[in-house]
Amino acid sequence: MAAVLALSVGGGAGFVGLSAARSAAQSVFDTQYAEFLSTRADAGDAFDSAQSALESAKTTLADSEGKVLTEDSRTALADAITAAESRVKDAAGELTATSERAEAAAFVEVGVLDSGSGLRESAATLASLSLTTVTDVSTVADQLAGPVAAVTAAMAVWQSEQDRILRERYTNHVHAVGWIPELDECKGSVDLTAHYGTPAIAEHWSCGGKNFPDEPGTIITLTGERAGTYRVDGIVMMLNQRRATVADIPHGYDLIYQTCQNGQSSTMSLTALTKLD
């Protein structure tokens, strides 16, 4: 009986010791796991910020296409985006792998007679985990800020130039619908559509015809009759007034502008225009 009693007392002391060791290990594990979760949360915020900056930079690059005077700033931004994408990709890999290792370490089976060795090993594993690459990716926003600002500034310069061109863009006033009498008034172009059977305006060379642009791609503004923005498609036909008739006027264009080159009726030019708005 004494032997049994002694064994019972000894076993109780051992159980208490195991329980205390296990509790201590649990405390270490809980602390380490909480620290990891906090670190991962901070790293996740840094990663999200980097991704947001990267997507914003990509949007700026896409939006700037055709809206800068030179491609230098866009090329620099594209290079910066490529470098940032590589960093974000590495960070994503580290975040995934580290999270998986942490999740594996967090599942620890602890038996009644366990002293907590598994908990201590898991705590050590958690302590060894690194999210440095993810945390460092927070500098991606700074890495992209300069190139993005340069492209934004280049776009502003381009827009300023477009505004200047718009202000200085050639404007032609179609002052009346009519025929020879209205042309001779020399107040601007005259709408001859009714006479030609196709949308057409005309102007004497000396009254403004010599200033009308015929370079294809030129954007002009018409006011008055036929008001709108037009693209010049170039001279599509030259006619000699002595031999040509209305039947020779080309059809199928949004608008035709007629003038006599150098004031000569033998070189009557017909410039096609496409209406833009």
Side-chain angles (χ1 to χ4, degrees):
M1 184 66 178
V4 173
L5 181 61
L7 179 61
S8 176
V9 172
F15 182 79
V16 171
L18 287 174
S19 179
R22 186 169 61 250
S23 295
Q26 183 70 57
S27 178
V28 171
F29 171 84
D30 289 345
T31 298
Q32 196 61 58
Y33 190 54
E35 289 181 0
F36 171 78
L37 291 179
S38 177
T39 300
R40 186 173 65 179
D42 292 340
D45 289 342
F47 182 79
D48 290 344
S49 176
Q51 277 197 314
S52 178
L54 181 56
E55 291 306 314
S56 178
K58 289 180 178 179
T59 297
T60 298
L61 182 62
D63 290 347
S64 65
E65 184 175 2
K67 296 180 180 179
V68 292
L69 298 181
T70 68
E71 288 294 311
D72 294 350
S73 60
R74 294 188 75 249
T75 299
L77 178 56
D79 290 343
I81 286 174
T82 298
E85 285 179 324
S86 178
R87 294 183 61 192
V88 169
K89 181 180 179 180
D90 290 344
E94 182 183 73
L95 185 59
T96 298
T98 302
S99 295
E100 290 175 350
R101 290 187 62 193
E103 289 175 4
F107 289 98
V108 183
E109 294 185 2
V110 181
V112 176
L113 299 179
D114 193 334
S115 66
S117 60
L119 290 168
R120 285 189 289 273
E121 289 177 4
S122 292
T125 297
L126 291 170
S128 69
L129 297 179
S130 173
L131 287 168
T132 302
T133 300
V134 184
T135 302
D136 289 348
V137 85
S138 62
T139 60
V140 161
D142 293 334
Q143 174 188 348
L144 293 170
V148 167
V151 169
T152 300
M155 291 174 68
V157 171
W158 177 88
Q159 187 60 57
S160 178
E161 178 63 10
Q162 301 312 302
D163 293 343
R164 182 193 66 78
I165 292 173
L166 183 61
R167 289 193 302 271
E168 299 177 1
R169 190 165 68 195
Y170 175 84
T171 298
N172 184 291
H173 182 60
V174 185
H175 81 98
V177 174
W179 191 232
I180 304 300
E182 287 75 20
L183 281 169
D184 292 342
E185 288 178 0
C186 208
K187 293 180 179 179
S189 295
V190 176
D191 188 338
L192 306 183
T193 301
H195 289 272
Y196 283 172
T198 190
I201 59 175
E203 193 170 21
H204 289 314
W205 182 260
S206 60
C207 295
K210 63 182 178 181
N211 298 320
F212 194 92
D214 54 27
E215 180 68 24
T218 304
I219 305 301
I220 68 169
T221 298
L222 296 185
T223 58
E225 304 292 334
R226 303 286 173 180
T229 301
Y230 292 79
R231 182 187 68 241
V232 175
D233 295 327
I235 295 175
V236 293
M237 185 174 290
M238 296 289 288
L239 297 176
N240 186 326
Q241 191 180 39
R242 297 188 186 91
R243 296 193 297 267
T245 68
V246 170
D248 295 310
I249 301 294
H251 288 56
Y253 298 101
D254 289 347
L255 189 64
I256 289 290
Y257 175 86
Q258 173 199 316
T259 192
C260 292
Q261 297 286 320
N262 299 310
Q264 302 299 312
S265 61
S266 59
T267 52
M268 187 173 69
S269 63
L270 300 173
T271 302
L273 306 175
T274 296
K275 196 172 192 301
L276 302 180
D277 62 49

